Amino acid sequence: MAECDPCSDLTVRQDCRISPHSIKRVLLEFLIDAMAKSHTIVPPVAAFRGIKSPDVFGRLVDTVSDYAIFVLDPSGNISSWNPGAQRLKGYLANEVIGKHFSIFYTAADLAKDKPAHELTMASKVGHFEDEGWRVRKDGTRFWANVIITRLLDDDGQLIGFGKITRDLTERRLSELRYRLLIESVNDYAIFSMDPHGHVTSWNSGAQRIKGYAPDEIIGKHFSAFYPDEDRKAGMPETVLRTAEREGHFEGEGWRKRKDGTKFWANVVVTALRDEEGALTGFSKVTRDLTDRKLLLDELKRHSAELELRIAERDQSNAELEAFAYSVSHDLRAPLRAISGFADALQEDCAQQLDRRGQEYVKEIIDASRRMNMLVQDLLEYGRVGRISAPLASVNLLNAINEARRQLGDVPPGSLKVDVPAVLCVCAHPQMLTQVIFNLLSNALKFHKKDLLPEVQVSAEKRDEYVRLNVRDSGIGIAPEHQERIWNVFERLHGRESYAGTGIGLAIVKRATERMDGSSGVISHPGDGSTFWIELPQGPSK
Ligand code: ADP
């Protein structure tokens, strides 16, 4: 029934109205035509264009060995069979020639009369292309790209159909896998659009985030996701044109759900292009970042509120300080009068006073002296906060010597200074002397009752800074108190054991900070303390 061609690239039915030679010629023309029209057939068409000789048929068929290429008679019976067809569909030529091509179709397609429909379309239009599941001889299915072209004789009479089938199962499966993957992504809205922005695919994440089912949105324009004001401002168009021009667009903003509610979206739109670079559409990935946005807004609101409160606190602190300063200032005159008259009372009228009277006068003198110290310290604390003189390079040893001079009498041998004469710090000279004075007087004051104070002053360079250490062998400070002693009026002892106002360390802290430095303490109760300050190194003088 079938005749074998010497070239073995084609088997033709014996009773076929068309000779093998003509079949080759029409198949060749058909192939060239089909390849020129189809996107899925990729052999170099140009190489064959113009070579319309049946002799090159073998070459062409080899090149397209992935294809089943055969001819049908006008009613759809198979008239020729090539090796590609045998490989693809599993039938030998003698098993298939003469049979109707509907044997390759699934039961579902047969029920829809698909084979007849395809032939009708091809004979009417000239060309029919389709993709779908087809059946091999062993019953397995493969995803086929099918091109059917009508074949006419020289008088324009239909003599049959040329059919090219390609197995695209792999591509189809990977597309399916890819689609399933995209569709199953729930956290991201992923969809594609045509070049004009009409939605062409829709995943479950898109449905979840935007609220549209696929059939409600596919075919609609994506500007539906934009709030009215953005749509009127032409934002959707800007997004597409930016993606087209630059490859992609990324942005954040409010978008609209189907029910009209808004969500904060992070959006990436990517332009999709074919092999020739022509724009085929866009993909769009949207993330719902509403929670993060609300949280950030809340944080921003809190920090703005905090800044406001800090500003208010600074303001009220400044007012409080101004108040304390003026009160302290105004207290000085009556205080001077009290201590002056108390001194006079003691010096001029001591004989007229009994012992009790004399004790009272002494109490008044002591109290007014303490109050004078307190007022002085408070004034100093306020002054430190207000000094705005620029910092200069100050020789550290000079500042220590000045503080030592101000201290007056110090028990011999109780204060040792080991500071290089060349060390300089960036500081305000009077403030620095005041700070060192406060640290030295504390170190000398808080010694163990029955022992003489032992104080060592040293200094070291630390990167861009100079650290000054004032180490004593005194009573030490428990860890839980080491923070609060830097606050105004914080004292750990009664007046009877150690005199003081509780302002000295507050001045140290404030003054070092004003000089762009810092201060601290390392101490163990009963084992002495090392108070330190760190200031930026100054150029040597
Ligand atoms: P004042 O010395 O006038 O009491 P300060 O502000 O200078 O106030 O110090 C606060 C408190 O810190 C002191 O009352 C004392 O309890 C503690 N203190 C400061 N320096 C030392 C030190 N060298 N050794 C032990 N305790 C100290």
Side-chain angles (χ1 to χ4, degrees):
M1 159 164 188
E3 165 189 299
C4 217
D5 185 80
C7 305
S8 82
D9 52 14
L10 187 71
T11 311
V12 179
R13 201 169 130 187
Q14 263 175 352
D15 61 351
C16 184
R17 268 178 56 200
I18 323 167
S19 72
H21 185 80
S22 307
I23 284 187
K24 280 188 175 184
R25 192 175 53 77
V26 288
L27 264 180
L28 183 62
E29 286 193 14
F30 153 64
L31 265 175
I32 290 168
D33 187 46
M35 286 193 293
K37 282 180 184 148
S38 169
H39 287 302
T40 51
I41 299 179
V42 284
V45 176
F48 299 102
R49 201 162 275 149
I51 316 172
K52 294 196 172 181
S53 152
D55 300 333
V56 295
F57 181 74
R59 247 173 80 195
L60 190 54
V61 167
D62 281 351
T63 320
V64 293
S65 61
D66 281 352
Y67 301 82
I69 301 166
F70 54 97
V71 172
L72 306 175
D73 69 15
S75 23
N77 296 314
I78 298 158
S79 304
S80 77
W81 198 241
N82 81 327
Q86 182 179 322
R87 198 183 55 72
L88 212 102
K89 312 217 184 211
Y91 293 97
L92 296 171
N94 57 14
E95 292 172 328
V96 84
I97 283 194
K99 298 243 169 81
H100 196 263
F101 84 115
S102 56
I103 56 169
F104 309 133
Y105 286 74
T106 61
D109 283 348
L110 290 175
K112 285 187 263 169
D113 214 10
K114 201 163 175 192
H117 168 73
E118 291 184 356
L119 290 192
T120 313
M121 288 303 293
S123 56
K124 270 193 196 152
V125 187
H127 184 86
F128 180 84
E129 183 159 0
D130 181 36
E131 282 201 7
W133 291 109
R134 296 290 184 272
V135 185
R136 295 195 187 89
K137 181 186 161 190
D138 63 6
T140 56
R141 298 194 322 168
F142 67 100
W143 185 261
N145 169 270
V146 176
I147 301 164
I148 302 177
T149 302
R150 88 184 156 200
L151 305 173
L152 303 175
D153 64 12
D154 294 343
D155 304 328
Q157 288 298 310
L158 182 74
I159 49 172
F161 300 92
K163 189 170 183 225
I164 302 183
T165 306
R166 190 178 179 197
D167 181 354
L168 296 181
T169 312
E170 261 317 301
R171 197 195 70 183
R172 172 72 179 169
L173 288 180
S174 75
E175 273 175 10
L176 272 178
R177 275 195 295 271
Y178 181 67
R179 222 179 63 205
L180 277 175
L181 186 78
I182 298 277
E183 276 172 6
S184 65
V185 171
N186 218 17
D187 291 343
Y188 294 79
I190 304 176
F191 61 95
S192 50
M193 298 177 276
D194 68 15
H196 307 291
H198 297 104
V199 177
T200 50
S201 76
W202 196 244
N203 81 334
S204 62
Q207 179 160 356
R208 189 185 65 80
I209 292 174
K210 307 200 188 226
Y212 294 94
D215 57 333
E216 290 172 322
I217 196 68
I218 286 182
K220 301 256 167 64
H221 199 262
F222 87 117
S223 54
F225 311 136
Y226 285 78
D228 292 348
E229 57 275 19
D230 288 346
R231 213 174 43 228
K232 279 184 201 136
M235 192 116 124
E237 194 53 24
T238 309
V239 166
L240 291 192
R241 295 303 62 101
T242 309
E244 185 178 1
R245 204 175 50 246
E246 287 163 21
H248 78 281
F249 166 91
E250 180 159 6
E252 288 198 2
W254 289 109
R255 295 289 185 277
K256 217 170 65 180
R257 296 194 186 91
K258 183 187 158 191
D259 63 7
T261 56
K262 287 184 184 167
F263 67 98
W264 185 260
N266 170 283
V267 173
V268 180
V269 178
T270 307
L272 305 174
R273 295 181 180 280
D274 64 15
E275 296 85 0
E276 271 102 48
L279 185 73
T280 57
F282 299 93
S283 71
K284 190 165 183 233
V285 180
T286 305
R287 261 190 306 163
D288 180 353
L289 296 183
T290 313
D291 289 348
R292 201 187 70 176
K293 164 83 176 158
L294 293 179
L295 212 69
L296 273 176
D297 286 353
E298 185 84 341
L299 265 174
K300 271 190 204 150
R301 221 178 22 253
H302 276 313
S303 72
E305 218 167 84
L306 212 68
E307 267 171 32
L308 196 76
R309 289 218 184 134
I310 289 172
E312 279 171 6
R313 199 200 59 189
D314 286 352
Q315 167 81 9
S316 59
N317 275 356
E319 280 165 9
L320 211 68
E321 266 173 35
F323 174 73
Y325 185 78
S326 67
V327 167
S328 318
H329 198 265
D330 294 351
L331 279 178
R332 288 172 97 184
L335 195 57
R336 220 175 287 126
I338 293 170
S339 64
F341 281 112
D343 283 344
L345 199 61
Q346 194 181 44
E347 279 169 25
D348 304 339
C349 316
Q351 270 80 350
Q352 283 113 295
L353 293 173
D354 60 9
R355 214 165 54 85
R356 220 153 129 213
Q358 284 179 17
E359 265 170 29
Y360 288 166
V361 172
K362 194 174 161 294
E363 283 293 324
I364 294 173
I365 291 171
D366 282 353
S368 61
R369 218 165 263 149
R370 277 201 311 277
M371 189 143 174
N372 192 40
M373 266 167 60
L374 202 65
V375 166
Q376 294 236 331
D377 279 357
L378 266 179
L379 285 174
E380 184 57 35
Y381 183 72
R383 217 183 340 263
V384 164
R386 274 194 311 278
I387 282 180
S388 62
L391 302 181
S393 186
V394 181
N395 183 285
L396 191 57
L397 191 58
N398 288 350
I400 295 168
N401 287 335
E402 174 58 20
R404 196 172 170 174
R405 194 188 60 73
Q406 289 178 13
L407 275 173
D409 286 342
V410 169
S414 55
L415 180 57
K416 290 196 180 108
V417 177
D418 181 16
V419 170
V422 289
L423 270 188
C424 288
V425 289
C426 273
H428 183 274
Q430 282 85 42
M431 254 203 290
L432 179 61
T433 306
Q434 175 75 56
V435 165
I436 300 172
F437 176 91
N438 290 3
L439 293 181
L440 290 182
S441 60
N442 277 351
L444 290 164
K445 178 165 65 175
F446 292 103
H447 62 87
K448 292 173 188 150
K449 277 293 164 231
D450 37 1
L451 293 175
L452 274 179
E454 274 177 36
V455 179
Q456 283 172 346
V457 182
S458 63
E460 61 197 307
K461 278 191 192 174
R462 288 193 162 206
D463 299 326
E464 308 294 298
Y465 289 83
V466 172
R467 182 181 271 218
L468 175 76
N469 300 300
V470 177
R471 161 143 189 81
D472 65 55
S473 55
I475 56 174
I477 304 161
E480 64 270 25
H481 301 314
Q482 288 178 11
E483 210 173 308
R484 70 178 175 102
I485 54 171
W486 301 90
N487 297 334
V488 182
F489 300 137
E490 287 288 354
R491 309 197 69 237
L492 304 179
H493 314 277
R495 220 176 342 105
E496 324 70 47
S497 4
Y498 296 100
T501 59
I503 302 174
L505 287 182
I507 292 176
V508 169
K509 184 168 189 289
R510 180 179 256 201
T512 46
E513 280 168 8
R514 297 271 313 176
M515 294 186 286
D516 300 329
S518 53
S519 51
V521 64
I522 304 159
S523 180
H524 303 283
D527 198 22
S529 313
T530 300
F531 278 84
W532 58 263
I533 60 164
E534 233 172 57
L535 291 171
Q537 225 181 101
S540 304
K541 298 212 293 188

